[in-house]
Amino acid sequence: MNLNLPPEINLQPGTLQFLQSGPKRLLINGEWVDALSGETFASVNPANGEELAQVALAGVEDVDMAVHAARAAFEHGPWREMSGEERGRLLWKAADLIEAYTDELAELETLDNGKPIRLSSKVDLPNTAKHFRYYAGLAGKLEGTTVPVSFPNQFVYTLREPVGVVGLIIPWNFPIQMASWKLAPALACGNTAILKPAEETPLTALRLGEILIEAGFPPGVVNIVTGPGEPTGAAITAHMGIDKVSFTGSTEVGRKIMEAAARSNLKRVSLELGGKSPNVIFADADLGKAVKGATWGIFSTAGQECVAGSRLFVERPVFQQVLEGLAGESRKVRVGAGFTPKVHVGPLISQRQLERVMGYIEGGQKSGAQLVSGGERLGGELSQGYFMSPTVFAYEDDSLQLAQEEIFGPVAAVTPFDSWDELVMRANSSRYGLAAGVWTQDITKAHRFAHAVKAGTVWINTYDLIDPAAPFGGYKESGFGREMGRDALDLYTEVKTVWVGLG
Ligand code: NAI
Ligand code: MG
C-alpha cells in the first residue's frame, strides 16, 4: 500500500493496524463476518488512486441477515428493555470514545475521502461526537402529549415509539459525520439500524462500528453492510423487514428509493438530496467578508457539499469587484493531498466525479458562460489523484446547465442581478431548495430574503454552518424530512394515540 505521505507524518498505530488487518468485514449481530459470496471491493485513496483496503461486498442475503439481526434486537432482549436514559448513556459513551479515537478516525477519513487532515480532526470528528452527545441528551426526553378531545370521559394521550428497523444509506462527502447524523437520533429513539456507507468511503463507518460495540450497544442494534448502490443499497430499500429508510445522496437515487419503498412495504422514507444553493451578495454587504464567505461556501470540500453555494448572485454595481475578488481568492486556495501541511482543499472523490465535473466545465464554456479562472485538472505531483483547480464562471442566462444542475465540484457560477423581484424569482428558479446565503448590512433585507427564498436553511452573513441542534433538510427536489435538532426525532418515531374510557 502506497500511502504517499509527507515524511514528517507518522500515522497512529491504530490507523495502521486497521488498514493492515486484512479485508474489512460486515458487522452483523455484533460479529464481523465476510460476505456470504466472499466478494470484496477496493476502497481507494483519492489522493493517489491507490487501494487502501479490500472491503466485503454485501449481497441480498447478507442484508437479509442484517435485517434479521436488527429485528431480533428490536423485538427482544436488552435493547428493548432499556430506558431512554440508558440508551442516552450508551450514546454518551460512544461520544467519549469517538473523542478518544479522534486522531485515528480523522486519519482514516482523510485517507479514504481525501479531505485535509485539519478538517477531519478539527471539524468532522468533533461534529460527529457532538451529534452523539446531543441525541444522548434527548434519548430520555421523548415525551408524548395529553390530548383534550371533544368527548366527555375520555382520557387521550400519545406515546412516541421507535419506528423499528431503520436502513441508513449515506454518501461519501462527510462519511463519519453523516453516519452520526443518522445513527445518533435513530438509536436515541430506540430503533435498531442497518448502516450502509458509500462504497467510496466505507472505512470510518466500519471503525465506528467497532467503537459502538466497545461502547456497549447490544448485538444487532447497529449492523453495517458495505457495498455499492446495486446490490447492497437496493437490497435495503426493497427489504420487507425494514420499516424506514433515511437517505442522503443524489436526487436520482432518492427517486429510486421512494419507488422501492412504494413497491415493497411502504417503508417510511426521509431524503436529503442535492442542491444548487443561491448565495446572494448585495452592494451594501461587507464585501471583504462576503467574498471570503462565498469562496468557502463553494470551494470547501472541493465543492462536494450538498449545501455548496454554487450560484452566486451579485448586485450589479459591485459585480465586477466581487467577481475579481472571488477569482483572486480562488487562486489562493491551496489544493493538495490531505496530509500535506496547510492544504485547504483535497481531491474529488473519484475519477468518475472528476470526469463529471470536467464535463460541466467543458459544457459551460461551450454554452457561452465566461470561464474567469481555474477549470483544470491539476498535474505534476498531484496527477495520480483526482485534483482540480477552483473554478469561477460568470453567466447571465439561468437556463444554462451550469446554473441549473448540481455539479458537486469546485465550480462557482456567478451572475449579476438588478432588482429585488428579479433576485427572488431567479434564486427560486431551481428544482432544488436545500440552502441559501445572503450578505448584506441591512437587517430588514436579510430577513426578507430569508423568508422569500425556498430553502431549508438560510445563512445570513455566514455560510455552511451545521450544528446538531439546528434542523437541516430541503425544500422541493432537495428532499424532505429534517435531520438534526428535535425535528430529527420525528424521522425516527411513530406517534401512538391511546384512548382511555373513564365513563
Ligand atoms: P449516489 O446517490 O449514487 O450515492 C449515495 C449513496 O446511495 C451511496 O451509499 C450509494 O451506494 C447509494 N446508492 C446508489 N444507488 C442506490 C440504489 N439504487 N439504492 C440504494 N442506494 C443506492 O451518489 P453518487 O453517485 O456517489 O454521486 C452522484 C451525484 O450525486 C453527485 O455528483 C452529487 O451531485 C450527488 N450527491 C449528493 C450528495 C449530497 O450530500 N446531497 C452526496 C453525494 C452525491
Ligand atoms: Mg451512484
Side-chain angles (χ1 to χ4, degrees):
M1 191 185 324
N2 170 18
L3 296 176
N4 233 354
L5 299 174
E8 68 275 20
I9 300 287
N10 290 308
L11 294 179
Q12 299 285 317
T15 309
L16 290 169
Q17 198 195 337
F18 183 85
L19 289 174
Q20 289 162 357
S21 60
K24 300 293 144 238
R25 298 165 133 188
L26 313 172
L27 177 58
I28 298 179
N29 206 22
E31 308 277 343
W32 293 96
V33 296
D34 292 321
L36 288 170
S37 67
E39 262 189 89
T40 60
F41 65 98
S43 191
V44 167
N45 179 348
N48 61 9
E50 300 250 351
E51 174 179 321
L52 283 167
Q54 282 290 321
V55 182
L57 195 162
V60 172
E61 283 95 33
D62 302 292
V63 169
D64 191 51
M65 281 170 52
V67 176
H68 281 284
R71 176 59 59 191
F74 181 72
E75 302 292 352
H76 324 280
W79 184 246
R80 183 94 205 170
E81 315 277 289
M82 259 181 221
S83 66
E85 191 263 354
E86 287 171 305
R87 293 196 303 272
R89 279 174 191 268
L90 289 181
L91 288 161
W92 193 268
K93 181 76 196 291
D96 286 344
L97 290 172
I98 289 162
E99 282 171 357
Y101 294 121
T102 283
D103 292 347
E104 224 180 89
L105 288 163
E107 287 175 358
L108 279 180
E109 194 79 321
T110 288
L111 288 167
D112 213 12
N113 165 281
K115 66 178 70 193
I117 185 70
R118 190 180 44 81
L119 289 180
S120 296
S121 59
K122 299 282 187 280
V123 180
D124 293 74
L125 264 300
N127 281 345
T128 304
K130 274 194 215 170
H131 274 267
F132 277 92
R133 277 199 213 291
Y134 180 83
Y135 288 102
L138 284 176
K141 304 182 184 74
L142 298 168
E143 292 149 351
T145 54
T146 58
V147 186
V149 293
S150 60
F151 302 97
N153 294 324
Q154 295 288 332
F155 169 50
V156 180
Y157 65 93
T158 62
L159 298 172
R160 260 182 188 273
E161 296 189 339
V163 180
V165 175
V166 299
L168 311 173
I169 302 178
I170 56 175
W172 39 261
N173 49 348
F174 295 91
I176 195 165
Q177 275 204 71
M178 287 203 192
S180 76
W181 295 3
K182 299 199 189 297
L183 276 173
L187 297 173
C189 294
N191 299 281
T192 58
I194 295 151
L195 171 70
K196 193 198 88 62
E199 57 272 39
E200 292 85 354
T201 54
L203 299 184
T204 46
L206 293 168
R207 185 69 187 92
L208 180 64
E210 295 178 350
I211 288 171
L212 296 178
I213 294 174
E214 188 178 340
F217 284 90
V221 171
V222 177
N223 305 275
I224 304 179
V225 294
T226 41
E230 303 266 358
T232 318
I236 293 174
T237 58
H239 205 290
M240 296 296 288
I242 292 183
D243 300 299
K244 190 235 151 80
V245 168
S246 170
F247 171 73
T248 300
S250 61
T251 294
E252 179 198 348
V253 172
R255 278 182 217 286
K256 289 190 190 165
I257 286 173
M258 285 190 79
E259 282 167 17
R263 275 197 306 270
S264 56
N265 56 343
L266 289 180
K267 54 178 65 68
R268 285 90 186 95
V269 172
S270 54
L271 303 173
E272 199 264 274
L273 308 173
K276 189 76 188 175
S277 298
N279 193 4
V280 179
I281 300 181
F282 282 101
D284 66 3
D286 175 334
L287 290 182
K289 269 195 194 153
V291 167
K292 281 222 158 62
T295 304
W296 292 108
I298 178 62
F299 298 131
S300 66
T301 322
Q304 303 171 112
E305 291 192 10
C306 43
V307 296
S310 49
R311 288 186 296 152
L312 186 63
F313 289 91
V314 184
E315 206 168 7
R316 179 101 49 193
V318 294
F319 179 73
Q320 273 311 324
Q321 187 187 345
V322 167
L323 187 64
E324 279 157 31
L326 184 74
E329 289 294 324
S330 78
R331 290 186 204 102
K332 289 192 229 155
V333 172
R334 283 189 294 270
V335 180
F339 287 97
T340 306
K342 300 200 173 142
V343 148
H344 297 129
V345 166
L348 300 192
I349 192 68
S350 61
Q351 178 70 30
R352 184 177 73 109
Q353 281 298 119
L354 180 73
E355 282 166 13
R356 213 183 114 104
V357 176
M358 295 308 288
Y360 277 112
I361 288 175
E362 238 173 79
Q365 283 176 287
K366 281 193 191 132
S367 70
Q370 178 202 350
L371 179 63
V372 180
S373 68
E376 290 137 19
R377 178 175 188 168
L378 298 177
E381 59 180 16
L382 298 180
S383 60
Q384 296 306 107
Y386 316 123
F387 296 92
M388 59 171 291
S389 54
T391 300
V392 178
F393 273 102
Y395 76 100
E396 298 235 14
D397 175 359
D398 285 336
S399 70
L400 297 188
Q401 203 188 28
L402 207 65
Q404 290 297 330
E405 291 184 26
E406 178 174 57
I407 296 177
F408 230 59
V411 183
V414 193
T415 189
F417 70 91
D418 293 295
S419 74
W420 174 264
D421 289 346
E422 176 206 338
L423 170 70
V424 171
M425 193 268 290
R426 294 178 64 199
N428 285 332
S429 75
S430 165
R431 64 191 183 105
Y432 295 114
L434 191 59
V438 55
W439 301 82
T440 172
Q441 311 228 32
D442 179 338
I443 190 172
T444 308
K445 207 152 57 177
H447 286 281
R448 274 181 67 206
F449 182 75
H451 293 207
V453 70
K454 292 192 172 61
T457 295
V458 184
W459 288 291
I460 298 174
N461 294 333
T462 185
Y463 204 86
D464 206 2
L465 291 174
I466 296 265
D467 186 272
F472 178 77
Y475 281 41
K476 301 195 269 185
E477 291 179 41
S478 292
F480 48 83
R482 293 291 177 270
E483 300 194 291
M484 302 180 212
R486 285 175 178 266
D487 295 69
L489 304 176
D490 294 339
L491 302 183
Y492 296 104
T493 51
E494 296 276 11
V495 173
K496 178 180 279 176
T497 305
V498 184
W499 291 68
V500 188
L502 301 175

